[in-house]
Amino acid sequence: MTEGRVNDAHGCGLRRRIQYERRVDEPPSIAAAMALARYHGDDVTAASTQLYDYIDPDALDALFAETNRGDARSEGRVEFETDDAVVTIRPERVEVSSDT
């Protein structure tokens, strides 16, 4: 599977941030799971943090689904917290950062 582009940002070693650029054909739930796994240094199939422990993946995908006219959603944001991170999902990318 080809995955989106990931940027790791480390600010003075105090905060960790992952930015995952979502492909157009990639569901937001898959992108969020990939970003969380990368944040934790896990393989997505064996990730210690499971997306469904924090948010309904089907509902997340529905929020970013095409409009009734078939147009892509170009705006919107969903944000939720895990035990140690904040996940922000936008139409084009997912960001995971430390919650401190």
Side-chain angles (χ1 to χ4, degrees):
M1 167 174 31
T2 304
E3 60 185 65
R5 186 170 53 92
V6 175
N7 297 321
D8 291 328
H10 304 279
C12 302
L14 299 176
R15 293 181 57 104
R16 176 171 166 85
R17 184 173 70 108
I18 297 294
Q19 183 171 311
Y20 182 92
E21 301 295 328
R22 186 169 75 92
R23 291 187 331 259
V24 173
D25 63 339
E26 184 176 39
S29 61
I30 299 298
M34 295 293 289
L36 273 170
R38 187 64 58 100
Y39 178 81
H40 290 288
D42 293 337
D43 180 273
V44 73
T45 59
S48 59
T49 301
Q50 300 295 321
L51 184 65
Y52 57 78
D53 288 338
Y54 301 96
I55 194 167
D56 180 335
D58 293 330
L60 177 62
D61 292 342
L63 287 171
F64 289 97
E66 292 180 343
T67 65
N68 290 337
R69 291 183 284 195
D71 298 328
R73 297 196 190 271
S74 60
E75 297 181 24
R77 180 178 84 178
V78 173
E79 188 171 284
F80 63 94
E81 293 183 16
T82 66
D83 294 333
D84 61 350
V86 175
V87 180
T88 305
I89 302 165
R90 292 182 173 86
E92 71 283 352
R93 76 177 158 274
V94 177
E95 295 176 13
V96 183
S97 59
S98 62
D99 63 355
T100 57

